[in-house]
Amino acid sequence: MDSKPIINRIASQMKKHLSSESIAIMAKQTRVHLINSLGGFKSVALVGTSDKQGNTNLAIFSSIFHIGANPPLMGLIFRPTPPERNTFNNIIETGYYTLNHINEGIYRQAHQTSARYDKEVSEFEMTGLVPKYKDSFFAPYVAQSNIQLGLAFREKIDIAINNTTLLIGEIIQLYIPEDCLYEDSFIDLEKANTITCSGLDSYHKTVQLDRLSYAKPDKEVTSLIF
Amino acid sequence: MDSKPIINRIASQMKKHLSSESIAIMAKQTRVHLINSLGGFKSVALVGTSDKQGNTNLAIFSSIFHIGANPPLMGLIFRPTPPERNTFNNIIETGYYTLNHINEGIYRQAHQTSARYDKEVSEFEMTGLVPKYKDSFFAPYVAQSNIQLGLAFREKIDIAINNTTLLIGEIIQLYIPEDCLYEDSFIDLEKANTITCSGLDSYHKTVQLDRLSYAKPDKEVTSLIF
């Protein structure tokens, strides 16, 4: 099936228009669904931590983003209220955490980690996701995850406008299935079975459309694949 | 084809292990490919702006993320060096910008906007993407985009550790195809043909695996779809 007609149908069809005023009067949960959907498909991963006593914690995050490659930095947004407090406190207290990609085999368990378990309960134990310690890194990885990153906490930035917090970490360890790492260091996330999410609760696998050449003003981009 | 055996094969297979030292000595472009791939699939959209004289600019960004739902805030990371300077300056100067989802019909043109055109050249004109002004909003939307957001600049945060900048904007206008907006305000991005990206140059459409129920400690999550 050619996708063009579908795209044009949508682009030309009736759109719902909402503005600040109509967003402001929405019921809280409705607004949360809407706004969380608006940015597009998101990076989603499991953040693994431990307190100094070795009590592990695991939490799903979809507010993960690239900040820079040299040094290799990732950002994570924390809400002002309790849900991910254990993760936050463990990172600040110990300085280390892991980011573990989610695949088709574990996304239900990953979603389950968002339940509000008591502090002394480990989400690893409750979901069947297995903590794995490697190369003397302080925080636990998720054994079932195909791409695993070990990060060191570097900077905390308070976002005054809505009392959220941005934590920045440096990637100091990483594990990738050998056949997913290309010669130019592009990682084939699809081959690694990494999934993406949208909104608060929707999970998606992907189908690659193309890899495109570096764009130049005087040249049309070409496919790096076909 | 059952996906389970594939997942297990990958999880148990040989992994490449890299640490800080080996990342630090990589060639710049190799490191950029690697680190940009590590966070997982990313939100990707076209940022539309105009200067006070009405000269339009359009740039692709994959460092877009949700900061909060009330008020509805999105973040955008800018690198320290020139590539997206026009976008940055226009946002600071005029206070407004648009975020336009990318679909299968326009991802090549979207990628082409990353070419380093001179300041006086509009990426709209060079790529065939059409600027569209709506409801007296200052910045131009992309006509071919199915989901369009209009944002007002709210906060600029300098990230000292690598000289990047976080710009925070509030969503004050939004346009969504009517049949993609569900009753609970979840947006069906797949139906809207929104795509995702990985690394610097790979584009992907998605296939929904499931929507899952709100997770509770004493209950297994269930599907909201089937």
Side-chain angles (χ1 to χ4, degrees):
Chain A
M1 192 176 69
D2 186 354
S3 61
K4 279 286 166 47
I6 299 175
I7 295 161
N8 294 338
R9 180 185 63 76
I10 293 177
S12 63
Q13 102 197 67
M14 276 304 287
K15 278 188 182 166
K16 176 103 179 158
H17 172 217
L18 294 169
S19 60
S20 290
E21 297 71 30
S22 35
I23 297 171
I25 57 166
M26 280 181 162
K28 186 188 168 198
Q29 210 43 38
T30 313
R31 182 173 51 233
V32 167
H33 271 292
L34 180 77
I35 307 302
N36 269 281
S37 298
L38 284 178
F41 292 100
K42 298 183 276 190
S43 302
V44 60
L46 287 159
V47 178
T49 57
S50 164
D51 65 15
K52 284 188 173 163
Q53 287 71 48
N55 300 306
T56 60
N57 191 278
L58 191 64
I60 190 168
F61 276 80
S62 64
S63 57
I64 300 163
F65 52 97
H66 174 82
I67 293 191
N70 188 24
L73 300 174
M74 305 283 298
L76 211 50
I77 299 286
F78 286 81
R79 290 175 288 174
T81 35
E84 327 78 6
R85 274 303 101 160
N86 296 342
T87 300
F88 184 87
N89 292 339
N90 287 345
I91 293 175
I92 299 292
E93 185 186 310
T94 69
Y96 296 100
Y97 54 113
T98 66
L99 277 179
N100 306 272
H101 284 213
I102 296 168
N103 56 59
E104 217 179 317
I106 59 171
Y107 75 92
R108 284 168 172 271
Q109 290 109 301
H111 186 76
Q112 182 67 42
T113 65
S114 64
R116 301 193 181 197
Y117 293 106
D118 293 335
K119 187 188 156 25
E120 59 275 12
V121 174
S122 172
E123 291 80 6
F124 278 106
E125 224 167 283
M126 299 315 292
T127 60
L129 294 167
V130 178
K132 186 166 183 179
Y133 291 93
K134 296 201 275 197
D135 297 303
S136 311
F137 192 74
F138 185 82
Y141 297 95
V142 174
Q144 293 99 324
S145 174
N146 296 325
I147 295 181
Q148 303 156 321
L149 317 178
L151 288 94
F153 167 61
R154 288 288 180 256
E155 199 171 329
K156 170 176 156 316
I157 295 174
D158 295 316
I159 300 178
I161 192 170
N162 70 343
N163 294 315
T164 51
T165 307
L166 162 58
L167 287 196
I168 300 176
E170 179 176 345
I171 300 165
I172 60 172
Q173 300 285 345
L174 65 99
Y175 304 87
I176 315 163
E178 268 183 358
D179 60 354
C180 298
L181 185 62
Y182 286 22
E183 219 170 302
D184 62 357
S185 278
F186 168 77
I187 304 173
D188 190 335
L189 297 179
E190 225 158 71
K191 200 170 186 178
N193 215 255
T194 294
I195 63 165
T196 176
C197 78
S198 69
L200 292 176
D201 51 27
S202 185
Y203 297 90
H204 310 254
K205 61 182 179 180
T206 63
V207 179
Q208 190 180 47
L209 295 164
D210 210 345
R211 274 192 80 187
L212 299 177
S213 61
Y214 187 82
K216 292 181 175 177
D218 51 349
K219 240 181 94 179
E220 215 171 307
V221 292
T222 54
S223 172
L224 297 179
I225 302 179
F226 303 110
Chain B
M1 191 177 69
D2 185 353
S3 62
K4 279 285 166 49
I6 299 175
I7 296 160
N8 294 337
R9 181 185 62 77
I10 293 177
S12 63
Q13 102 199 68
M14 276 303 288
K15 278 189 181 164
K16 176 105 177 157
H17 172 216
L18 294 169
S19 59
S20 289
E21 297 72 30
S22 34
I23 297 171
I25 58 166
M26 279 181 162
K28 186 187 168 200
Q29 211 42 37
T30 313
R31 181 174 48 234
V32 167
H33 271 292
L34 180 77
I35 307 304
N36 269 281
S37 298
L38 285 179
F41 293 99
K42 298 183 277 192
S43 303
V44 61
L46 286 160
V47 179
T49 57
S50 164
D51 65 15
K52 284 188 174 162
Q53 287 72 46
N55 299 307
T56 59
N57 192 279
L58 191 64
I60 190 167
F61 276 81
S62 65
S63 57
I64 300 162
F65 52 96
H66 174 83
I67 293 191
N70 189 23
L73 300 173
M74 305 281 299
L76 210 52
I77 299 286
F78 285 80
R79 290 176 288 173
T81 37
E84 325 81 5
R85 273 304 103 161
N86 297 343
T87 301
F88 183 86
N89 291 339
N90 288 345
I91 294 175
I92 299 292
E93 187 186 307
T94 70
Y96 295 100
Y97 55 113
T98 65
L99 277 179
N100 306 272
H101 284 212
I102 298 168
N103 55 57
E104 218 178 317
I106 59 169
Y107 75 93
R108 285 168 170 270
Q109 289 109 300
H111 186 75
Q112 183 66 42
T113 65
S114 64
R116 301 192 182 199
Y117 294 106
D118 293 336
K119 186 186 157 27
E120 58 276 13
V121 174
S122 173
E123 290 81 6
F124 278 107
E125 224 167 283
M126 300 315 292
T127 60
L129 294 167
V130 178
K132 185 165 185 180
Y133 291 92
K134 294 199 276 198
D135 297 303
S136 311
F137 192 73
F138 184 82
Y141 297 95
V142 174
Q144 293 99 324
S145 175
N146 297 326
I147 295 181
Q148 302 156 322
L149 316 179
L151 289 94
F153 167 61
R154 289 288 179 254
E155 198 171 329
K156 170 175 156 317
I157 295 174
D158 295 317
I159 300 179
I161 192 169
N162 70 342
N163 294 315
T164 51
T165 307
L166 163 58
L167 287 197
I168 299 176
E170 179 176 344
I171 300 164
I172 60 172
Q173 300 286 345
L174 64 100
Y175 303 88
I176 315 164
E178 269 184 357
D179 60 354
C180 297
L181 185 61
Y182 287 21
E183 217 171 305
D184 62 357
S185 279
F186 169 78
I187 303 172
D188 190 335
L189 297 179
E190 224 158 72
K191 201 170 185 180
N193 215 256
T194 294
I195 63 165
T196 176
C197 78
S198 69
L200 292 175
D201 52 27
S202 186
Y203 297 89
H204 310 253
K205 60 182 179 180
T206 62
V207 179
Q208 190 180 45
L209 295 165
D210 210 344
R211 274 192 79 188
L212 298 177
S213 60
Y214 188 82
K216 292 182 175 176
D218 51 348
K219 240 179 94 178
E220 215 171 307
V221 292
T222 54
S223 171
L224 298 179
I225 300 179
F226 304 110

